[in-house]
Amino acid sequence: MKTILVTGGTGYIGSHTVVELQSKGYEVIIADNLANSSADVVDRIEKITGIRPVFIKADLSKEQEAAAIFDTHHIDGIINFAAYKAVGESCEKPIEYYQNNLQIALNMLANMKRMGIQYFVQSSSCTVYGEPKHNPINEDCPTMPATSPYGNTKQMVEEILHFVTKSGDIKAIALRYFNPIGAHHTALIGELPNGIPNNLIPYITQTAAGLRQQLTVFGNDYPTPDGTCIRDYIHVVDLAKAHVVAMDRCFENRNKSNLEYFNIGTGNGFSVLDIIRSFEKVSGVKLNYCFGKRREGDVVQIWADTTLAEKELGWKAELSLDQMTLSAWHWQQQLQ
Ligand code: UDP
């Protein structure tokens, strides 16, 4: 039985990944500073799986706190979610974002070298592609300059991995997520945005729940069929499973190079209006929304070519858009 250190494991994607890892027989150690999550997520994970993961409250950007974990626990692989993730905030506090996100990744890698740990899965993002010239986009498409410090930290960690994995002591897989939404079907874990949400789905569910007055659709004059932006929304549980198969690939020695990249999306593009329609259908709630100005920095449309993940990881997203919006609504409803 292999033990995986999941950094940021009480966060949104991290917690769902812990559940999937445990259900496939992995032992899990969560390390999280709880800056953007809560300790009771550990109880909720235990409720779902019947297994309590080891939980360590630690600031992994601090060298000593990070090293102490490796000195006291046996670890076979790492999945690195711990990072600041708000695009807008990253423009206001770029130095904090670089310090935190890069230092965490470096501390993990330094300790892997020190302890002879081989396998690293990095939470990356489709933001590395910028505005694609064509869709669907595959992993060979060149990355574009980032439009925010947050996106830049994702690119920089991929670049760091490029050189750190050269010697072959460490093998890494970077999973480039498209737009994760939804929640576990038990509604015991889900996304907990701090304050006013930036992302579409929490804004929709909070508006439907009466916590926000109205959703503003950012732009309806884009060159898309209905004028609103298109994204590849993926159920967080499907995304979580991609991490498990990435880890399996490492332990079964199936990596084809020291650093591999995979797009993790569904391969389908949906517009903002498609999302609203799906939400209204599954929830039975009429959403109060209006059209507003375009949001600065938004790409017009992007969706994934997932051929490589299907072929190499044997992974494919299974849950539908309606399942995504319904699970997000169930999660919102139990929060109140
Ligand atoms: N969006 C919107 N209103 C909101 C939040 C988001 O219209 O209050 C749109 C946004 O312009 C984009 C899509 O929803 O087209 C997804 O945005 P989100 O912030 O969830 O993810 P992103 O793709 O920016 O990472």
Side-chain angles (χ1 to χ4, degrees), residues 179 198-201 203 215-218 229 231 233 272 295 298:
N179 285 56
N198 294 308
N199 296 114
L200 180 63
I201 285 291
Y203 211 104
L215 168 80
T216 302
V217 175
F218 297 140
C229 290
R231 298 285 182 275
Y233 296 90
V272 177
R295 180 171 70 178
D298 271 345

Side-chain angles (χ1 to χ4, degrees), residues 280-329:
E280 288 185 329
K281 184 177 80 183
V282 301
S283 67
V285 178
K286 184 97 195 63
L287 193 73
N288 182 18
Y289 69 91
C290 63
F291 293 110
K293 282 199 303 237
R294 293 180 177 194
R295 180 171 70 178
E296 213 188 305
D298 271 345
V299 305
V300 180
Q301 49 190 336
I302 182 166
W303 64 94
D305 180 336
T306 59
T307 313
L308 193 67
E310 282 172 41
K311 181 165 166 269
E312 292 296 326
L313 298 175
W315 170 93
K316 196 173 169 19
E318 287 169 350
L319 300 167
S320 68
L321 180 60
D322 287 350
Q323 286 171 304
M324 300 181 210
T325 51
L326 183 62
S327 66
W329 180 229

